Amino acid sequence: MTNQNNVIKFYSGEQIPVELHKVRMVQKLFLKPIEERKAAMEEAGFNTFLLSTKDVFLDMLTDSGTNAMSDNQISSMLQADDAYAGSQSFYRMEKALREVFGKHYVLPAHQGRAAENIVSQAFIKKGEVIPMNYHFTTTKEHMELNGGKVLEIYADDALQIKSDKPFKGNIDIDKLKDVFSTYGKEKVAFVRMEASTNLIGGQPFSMQNMRDVKKICEENETMMVLDASLIGENAWFIKQREEEFKNAEIKDILLEMCSYADLVYFSSRKVSSTRGGGIVTNSKDLYMKMRDLLVLYEGFLTYGGMSVREIEAMAVGLNETCDETVISQSPSFIAYAVNELDAAGVPVITPPGALGCHIDAMGFLPHVPQTDYPAGALATALFIISGIRGMERGTISSVRDENGDDIPADVELLRLAFPRRVFTLSQTKFVIDRVKWLYENRELVGGLEWVEEPPLLRFFMGRLKAKGDWPEKLMAKFKEDFGESL
Ligand code: F0G
């Protein structure tokens, strides 16, 4: 699993992921003193979403809309054709989607969750179930708003933190068969597969798994829907980890993956390093069921809520997703960070996946009960001691049940995203160093409690506070060890 094409070997024997791009435009960063970082975190209600980037050193919140764009993408924006209807920019994007995803009908949307809204409204009826490898936050909300129920049918060991299983994002085929026999095919709205399964550590599924899922869908005359937001990285893992594809081209892997799906939707904030989204299919019937909703919610069919400049860049970005040096950059830096942290005994999800390095907060902070939100606490502690902004992917990102009790997340993670071609190796080394320091000082970190808790998607806007004075103690220890150094 280490055969990564941008990993080079030094004369000393050390292996590092080398940047196969050069920097041609930069943004200045600020690393503020720890007192200012702590004050910023308090002001943000111990929620990294509420920080201002002026206080952030390395923004590892997400790769969504933050991947670096290429020179070709930026230059394509200048030829954008501003038109409400019939824009040439749209036709260029449509052509790219037809070529890269192999689907004829294209519905543009302003971002991934907008596509989820359309798909959920068009294809989910009250009381129906939607089996999938794992949910994504916005996906689940849209499905439930339309009366559907999400069934997660991953393999029993998919949530195991330390593992050498190459495809923890697979759907468990026996569980899928059970869903059809328990509910009957009429009650299954569709089967959803999410590429590089986000919430369980960016873990891919295999092509064989897609084939097996497709076969069962066909036997049950049920539609298969693919969330392709992180499809490029999943394709790259298939090439790395599935023997049959070791010599295949990424573009052929992508085409085969999409061929099994009746409908593909995506956030192009991720897949093509732009800002937007969309839905594609080869079925005119499916297209017609979504078309008018799209015009109602997103905009006319040739822009779907996106700027034409982004549409141009999306066309270029989609083609670049087929370039191995582009698509392997983030996973190889993630693998570097994960391997270093794992070797230092820090609990991280293995094998390394897509999107980010995922730290197991329950393993990191075993003394913080899940009711005190260890992943949220870890995200805030890391920001205070380093200016690195990660994202809580644990119980704060979950919901409450009908009695108002927290539903504890299956995994309690701090995600440190590696947007494509954004961070250098020295910045990556800084991340590794500060996470290791925090691990050595983990007993100083305590839990969080709510101050303001919104009822819907509470992790975005909710405000919390530290239980006790642990941030002060953590800051004091940092100053003891690092002196005046930032
Ligand atoms: N599906 C997946 C698998 C995603 O990861 C996301 C977004 C969406 C759908 C929704 O797309 O943001 O364009 O509306 N993930 C982001 C993240 C927010 O940080 O992981 P969107």
Side-chain angles (χ1 to χ4, degrees):
M1 262 184 240
T2 51
N3 173 28
Q4 293 157 7
N5 58 356
N6 62 342
V7 173
I8 61 138
K9 198 167 167 181
F10 280 166
Y11 191 36
S12 65
E14 188 190 357
Q15 296 201 18
I16 60 145
V18 76
E19 293 85 352
L20 290 175
H21 51 267
K22 65 176 179 179
V23 178
R24 295 178 64 200
M25 198 170 108
V26 295
Q27 180 178 351
K28 191 169 160 57
L29 293 177
F30 299 93
L31 178 53
K32 293 191 165 174
I34 189 164
E35 291 81 0
E36 290 182 35
R37 300 196 296 254
K38 182 171 150 295
M41 185 44 85
E42 282 160 1
E43 207 177 306
F46 284 80
N47 179 350
T48 57
F49 278 100
L50 301 183
L51 285 165
S52 160
T53 55
K54 73 177 174 23
D55 298 316
V56 174
F57 175 44
L58 299 180
D59 193 0
M60 307 185 91
L61 185 74
T62 178
D63 60 342
S64 174
T66 58
N67 289 330
M69 292 175 80
S70 71
D71 45 0
N72 289 327
Q73 282 187 288
I74 302 279
S75 58
S76 74
M77 289 175 130
L78 296 176
Q79 59 169 350
D81 176 22
D82 268 306
Y84 188 92
S87 162
Q88 295 310 297
S89 302
F90 172 76
Y91 296 123
R92 282 190 275 272
M93 179 186 78
E94 184 183 57
K95 180 168 177 285
L97 279 164
R98 285 177 179 166
E99 282 167 10
V100 177
F101 288 167
K103 302 284 186 219
H104 185 76
Y105 296 101
V106 171
L107 293 161
H110 80 272
Q111 64 183 86
R113 69 200 69 180
E116 287 168 346
N117 172 37
I118 307 290
V119 171
S120 301
Q121 287 206 33
F123 301 112
I124 298 175
K125 289 197 280 298
K126 199 166 164 9
E128 288 183 340
V129 295
I130 311 99
M132 60 185 71
N133 46 357
Y134 207 77
H135 77 276
F136 183 69
T137 51
T138 52
T139 323
K140 187 169 171 170
E141 290 288 355
H142 278 298
M143 291 179 167
E144 289 179 353
L145 279 173
N146 284 282
K149 185 171 163 213
V150 166
L151 302 176
E152 282 157 343
I153 47 168
Y154 48 83
D156 290 340
D157 52 5
L159 304 184
Q160 210 172 303
I161 302 291
K162 214 170 156 61
S163 161
D164 56 6
K165 280 266 173 86
F167 293 111
K168 291 200 281 185
N170 278 355
I171 279 187
D172 184 301
I173 298 302
D174 289 331
K175 290 182 189 166
L176 181 58
K177 287 181 185 159
D178 286 349
V179 168
F180 281 109
S181 50
T182 308
Y183 293 90
K185 64 183 181 188
E186 317 65 45
K187 280 273 171 235
V188 180
F190 53 82
V191 178
R192 171 177 177 272
M193 289 191 85
E194 182 184 306
S196 304
T197 330
N198 187 331
L199 291 190
I200 60 168
Q203 299 294 312
F205 52 68
S206 67
M207 190 75 88
Q208 189 54 49
N209 190 244
M210 278 204 97
R211 291 173 182 157
D212 296 343
V213 170
K214 177 66 180 171
K215 186 161 170 280
I216 294 169
C217 286
E218 273 176 353
E219 283 164 12
N220 289 283
E221 295 161 317
T222 299
M223 179 164 92
M224 152 111 102
V225 171
L226 173 63
D227 180 330
S229 306
L230 286 165
I231 194 173
E233 285 77 1
N234 199 126
W236 189 73
F237 284 122
I238 286 177
K239 181 170 167 119
Q240 294 294 310
R241 300 179 183 178
E242 204 167 351
E243 181 63 22
E244 181 187 338
F245 295 93
K246 68 174 191 237
N247 297 319
E249 302 277 340
I250 296 290
K251 77 171 174 27
D252 295 328
I253 298 176
L254 288 174
L255 279 173
E256 182 172 343
M257 290 172 85
C258 292
S259 75
Y260 299 128
D262 300 281
L263 186 154
V264 179
Y265 79 86
F266 53 91
S267 167
S268 63
R269 299 176 64 81
K270 289 176 185 277
V271 72
S272 59
S273 306
T274 49
R275 283 135 293 265
I279 311 167
V280 293
T281 178
N282 275 332
S283 155
K284 182 150 192 208
D285 182 38
L286 297 182
Y287 170 79
M288 291 307 288
K289 289 193 169 118
M290 296 181 284
R291 192 190 65 177
D292 298 346
L293 284 173
L294 194 104
V295 178
L296 181 63
Y297 286 100
E298 296 302 301
F300 192 67
L301 288 173
T302 54
Y303 73 92
M306 277 187 273
S307 124
V308 276
R309 272 161 282 282
E310 295 288 340
I311 291 177
E312 288 285 357
M314 192 173 145
V316 176
L318 276 164
N319 283 306
E320 289 177 350
T321 296
C322 303
D323 177 340
E324 270 188 53
T325 68
V326 173
I327 213 61
S328 66
Q329 195 276 334
S330 165
S332 63
F333 271 59
I334 292 164
Y336 182 82
V338 166
N339 293 338
E340 292 279 318
L341 290 172
D342 189 36
V346 178
V348 278
I349 289 198
T350 59
L355 208 173
C357 166
H358 295 79
I359 302 176
D360 167 30
M362 287 202 278
F364 201 107
L365 301 174
H367 54 284
V368 177
Q370 213 176 354
T371 44
D372 289 355
Y373 310 120
L378 190 57
T380 57
L382 182 64
F383 176 78
I384 291 170
I385 64 114
S386 67
I388 298 166
R389 166 160 78 163
M391 189 191 286
E392 191 270 2
R393 296 278 73 164
T395 301
I396 295 177
S397 300
S398 177
V399 289
R400 290 188 183 270
D401 64 18
E402 54 280 6
N403 304 320
D405 296 323
D406 264 332
I407 302 179
D410 292 327
V411 276
E412 197 72 36
L413 303 175
L414 165 60
R415 182 181 85 181
L416 302 176
F418 280 77
R420 289 181 201 156
R421 301 195 288 183
V422 169
F423 298 123
T424 63
L425 195 63
S426 73
Q427 290 170 331
T428 306
K429 285 187 166 209
F430 174 84
V431 175
I432 294 164
D433 181 77
R434 290 306 193 255
V435 172
K436 281 189 196 167
W437 181 87
L438 193 57
Y439 190 59
E440 300 268 301
N441 292 283
R442 59 191 178 276
E443 74 291 343
L444 292 175
V445 180
L448 299 177
E449 60 189 323
W450 287 105
V451 175
E452 258 177 65
E453 186 185 343
L456 197 73
L457 295 171
R458 61 185 184 173
F459 58 92
F460 280 133
M461 300 305 294
R463 301 183 74 81
L464 301 100
K465 65 176 175 119
K467 281 185 121 175
D469 62 351
W470 64 260
E472 282 72 27
K473 292 192 176 124
L474 190 66
M475 184 167 78
K477 181 64 173 28
F478 180 89
K479 291 182 78 113
E480 204 179 298
D481 287 355
F482 292 99
E484 287 312 301
S485 170
L486 299 169

